Amino acid sequence: TGSSDPYCIVKIDDEAIIRTATVWKTLSPFWGEEYEVHLQPTFHSISIYVMDEDALSRDDVIGKVCITRDMLAEHPKGYSGWVSLSEVDPDEEVQGEIHLRVEVLGSQGSRRLRCTVLEAR
């Protein structure tokens, strides 16, 4: 049909912690969802997977974005902007990007991740 039913899953070190709402029948979803979660001091990376919900079979992975601890350290006030999706399966071509805001709040002992999933295209 030329459209998807996209949603996002945010994982910290491969543990799913957030799932956005599904936006039905679009290639340009808008979520505008903000989440704040506890962040372990030893975390390595935050991954955002853009998925296509499928009622009849397993949901498809459209693409992903990975933000490492080092990347966040380079942006002490947080990162905000459009990020190109990369493939999860090397045999699949990925096109698209996602608009995110990601920041680490608090001190070393009690850090939180604020993740805002805005939109994709």
Side-chain angles (χ1 to χ4, degrees):
T1 62
S3 68
S4 293
D5 301 319
Y7 66 93
C8 294
I9 294 176
V10 179
K11 294 183 176 184
I12 297 178
D13 294 336
D14 285 331
E15 180 185 348
I17 55 163
I18 297 167
R19 184 197 191 281
T20 67
T22 300
V23 181
W24 304 101
K25 296 183 179 15
T26 184
L27 293 177
S28 298
F30 176 80
W31 290 285
E33 297 182 20
E34 181 177 288
Y35 300 92
E36 202 169 297
V37 296
H38 178 73
L39 190 60
Q40 294 293 334
T42 57
F43 89 98
H44 296 287
S45 66
I46 299 158
S47 300
I48 297 100
Y49 289 80
V50 180
M51 308 290 292
D52 181 12
E53 191 165 317
D54 192 336
L56 302 176
S57 66
R58 194 167 56 90
D59 294 354
D60 297 318
V61 179
I62 296 172
K64 78 170 189 172
V65 169
C66 186
I67 300 168
T68 65
R69 177 187 186 136
D70 293 339
M71 291 166 71
L72 284 174
E74 292 172 14
H75 298 91
K77 294 187 188 224
Y79 176 82
S80 180
W82 287 94
V83 184
S84 293
L85 297 175
S86 60
E87 73 278 344
V88 173
D89 180 347
D91 296 330
E92 296 285 329
E93 181 185 346
V94 174
Q95 295 180 343
E97 53 188 355
I98 187 166
H99 189 192
L100 302 169
R101 265 198 312 263
V102 179
E103 59 187 316
V104 177
L105 308 168
S107 61
Q108 193 66 17
S110 173
R111 294 193 303 175
R112 298 177 320 281
L113 170 72
R114 180 181 292 155
C115 179
T116 308
V117 181
L118 295 165
E119 59 187 322
R121 56 186 178 203

